[in-house]
Amino acid sequence: MEPADMTSHGDDALSSRTGAPGGDDRLSEDRSLLQQRLAVRELLDTEVSYLHVLQLCASDIRSRLQQLPQGDLDVLFSNIDDIIKVNSRLLHDLQETASREEEQVQLIGNTFLEFQEELEQVYKVYCASYEQALLLVETYRKEPELQREIQGIIEAVLPQAGPSGLSFLLVIPLQRITKYPLLLQKILENTLPDASAYAVLQRATSALQDVVTNINEYKRRKEVASKYTKVEPLSLRERLARINTHTLSKKTTRLSQLLKQEAGLVPRTEDKEFDDLEEKFHWVSLCVTELKSNVAAYLDNLEAFLRFRPQDYNLEIPGGPVVQYCYLARDLQLQAFPEFKQQLEAQVWQPLCSLAKALAGPQNLIKKRLDKLLDFERVEEKLLEVGSMTYEEEAARHTYQALNSLLVAELPQFNQLAMRWLSQILCAFVTLQRDLAKQVLQRAEDSLAQLPHHHLSEPAFRKLVEDALGQTSHQLHAFQENFEKVLPPPTTQPLLPGAERQVQALLSRYGPGKLYQVTSNISGAGTLDLTLPRGHIVALLQNKDTKGNSSRWLVDTGGHRGYVPAGKLEVYHVVPTEEELRGQARPHKDSQHQTPEPTSAPVPSVPTVTQVVAVYPFVARSSHEVSLQAGQRVTVLEAHDKKGNPEWSLVEVNGQRGYVPSSFLARAPSPAPWGWSLPS
């Protein structure tokens, strides 16, 4: 029956009873009953229409707005899918009450009492993101072409939206949640006070009013929190520019309040619930930071491991297991390990970085809460003393209460989600490690099956390897002895061009025992750190920094002083020049003893042979030099440079010619043929 039919039918019934005894009371009851039924019908009909509009927004309109980024769609439509699920069940239960007309009003009240918490949860999320959605709508209006496209899509699906377009759609859920208390109040007003449904409707109306109040309070807290969760990377100049008399006054007052608390002059506000939540959040944050640091180091080590490819070099061991090893190593280097690294970055590193980024907002909010707590305590003291406060002080008081309430309400959920997120990252890391081990083992088994001793048991194979190593250990020892015989004394990298004068200045000032040479390039990160190239000479001033850290040394470069990593320095051995050696060897004029004619001390040079071995690696720094690898065979063309300096030799390596330090070369040993192979 339509509302108009119900009205006419009710009017006819009422007119037929006006002349009956006690007709006024019965007339009033019938009018109330009629208005109650109309209010119930309005509730059900508007709920059906509201849910239909939501479904059109979620299915048709959202799916057609493909020109908008997914992030924008998530903000605009927020959790509309959750709202549809809750309201669909609510509508179903409300429609079920129609079959029990006598108890329908009471059942409606009970239904809203059952849905009170669910309605508050889903609608407060939507309302909290409503302001951000409106900001997006304003940006779209600044682009006429985009605005016309959006408006055309909305009008095609919902013509009643009119020119308001997106604004009309976004406000519908807000209007609906605020209308529930009004609809229930209308039903309540047309229910007799002595009816059994009256108390239930009264509780339901009050409950929905509390829902609206709580949503508004939650929205206000979110707005306050959003002001302080933004982490802005400001420079020192920008921070100083923000300082004014107002901020100085606030910070001074907070510091004064904090000092009074530390001195015990005023009590400190204790909040055991928040302190426990903050401690748990601190531990979660610490775990994430530590894990992120460890995973970063793991990825660096994995990258270094992938660069190390011994299988690409000639190991000079003919055939046998080496071929199988090289084949397996190439297979793993080209496929298994790169895939593992890629999955590790996607499933562990990137989620871990996102989690660490998500912690920044709550961390800043907790920090701001401490500042606002000091303001709150000061205002409370003044309120007790004076009995009044200014508008600004009242705003500061409400800000603290909003921040504290929000943190107490949401930190437990955040901690729980962060722990779950962290555990999933750890599970992903363990799973990737397990899958990698399984994959490597499977590929290794295929290669091991082709080895001559794959049929042996593990103990027998271990015994075989130990015996083989024992038989060939003397060959390795002999090679080591022969190699050490031709090794020159430890030398440092050649001096940089034009560095002789700087070395002489440092030598005369600090002495030879204080000179060190940089073994690899140093890039200074701090204000007192030095940036030095490889081969630079420095003088040691102190073997630790001001904090007692022995891994950072204070050095003098002859022009600047600063800190460098101790691990990138080695003692510089001052090699006297040929003239100095001859001067030391000449007899003194006043000497009364005849001394034989001395021979010059040998300057490190290369023996006049064709084939030598590079003892140390050397990196060419110009087109006149050539790079060496330790153990590489080298052909010496000239045992000196163009000026006759024996400290540099002209060599040929892999078809390239260039100069290398003579002290980096040694006569190639010629021991008996060496190497080892497993006996068959």
Side-chain angles (χ1 to χ4, degrees), residues 351-370:
L352 193 57
C353 291
S354 299
L355 178 56
K357 187 178 180 180
L359 294 173
Q363 284 172 343
N364 204 40
L365 207 58
I366 291 173
K367 180 182 176 183
K368 288 295 181 182
R369 180 215 175 249
L370 178 59

Side-chain angles (χ1 to χ4, degrees), residues 481-534:
E481 289 181 346
N482 290 333
F483 196 78
E484 288 177 349
K485 288 178 182 179
V486 297
L487 279 179
T491 59
T492 56
Q493 283 288 317
L495 292 178
L496 297 174
E500 290 82 359
R501 184 173 301 175
Q502 176 237 356
V503 174
Q504 289 299 327
L506 293 175
L507 188 62
S508 61
R509 184 171 182 180
Y510 298 101
K514 292 286 186 177
L515 298 193
Y516 286 80
Q517 190 170 31
V518 178
T519 58
S520 61
N521 294 335
I522 298 176
S523 297
T527 54
L528 296 179
D529 294 344
L530 296 177
T531 298
L532 299 174
R534 179 170 177 257

Side-chain angles (χ1 to χ4, degrees), residues 291-366:
L291 181 61
K292 184 180 177 184
S293 175
N294 291 336
V295 173
Y298 184 92
L299 286 171
D300 290 341
N301 293 334
L302 181 60
E303 185 69 28
F305 169 74
L306 293 177
R307 288 197 300 265
F308 180 68
R309 300 187 176 190
Q311 68 274 7
D312 293 343
Y313 297 91
N314 183 12
L315 301 180
E316 298 184 0
I317 303 178
V322 175
V323 176
Q324 297 300 328
Y325 163 76
C326 291
Y327 174 78
L328 175 62
R330 289 192 188 97
D331 185 27
L332 295 177
Q333 287 274 3
L334 293 176
Q335 189 170 359
F337 290 132
E339 288 179 358
F340 170 73
K341 182 175 179 291
Q342 184 178 3
Q343 293 176 349
L344 189 67
E345 291 176 344
Q347 301 181 29
V348 176
W349 176 248
Q350 293 179 3
L352 193 57
C353 291
S354 299
L355 178 56
K357 187 178 180 180
L359 294 173
Q363 284 172 343
N364 204 40
L365 207 58
I366 291 173

Side-chain angles (χ1 to χ4, degrees), residues 402-455:
L403 284 178
N404 188 69
S405 300
L406 184 67
L407 286 171
V408 170
E410 297 200 351
L411 261 186
Q413 302 175 28
F414 185 88
N415 289 338
Q416 186 177 4
L417 289 174
M419 288 296 295
R420 191 183 307 166
W421 196 347
L422 188 60
S423 63
Q424 289 174 352
I425 292 174
L426 289 172
C427 288
F429 182 74
V430 173
T431 303
L432 288 175
Q433 290 275 23
R434 182 193 62 192
D435 294 345
L436 176 66
K438 188 183 299 183
Q439 185 179 6
V440 171
L441 182 60
Q442 181 180 359
R443 299 191 181 197
E445 287 177 349
D446 296 339
S447 298
L448 290 175
Q450 303 178 29
L451 295 178
H453 307 292
H454 69 277
H455 60 279

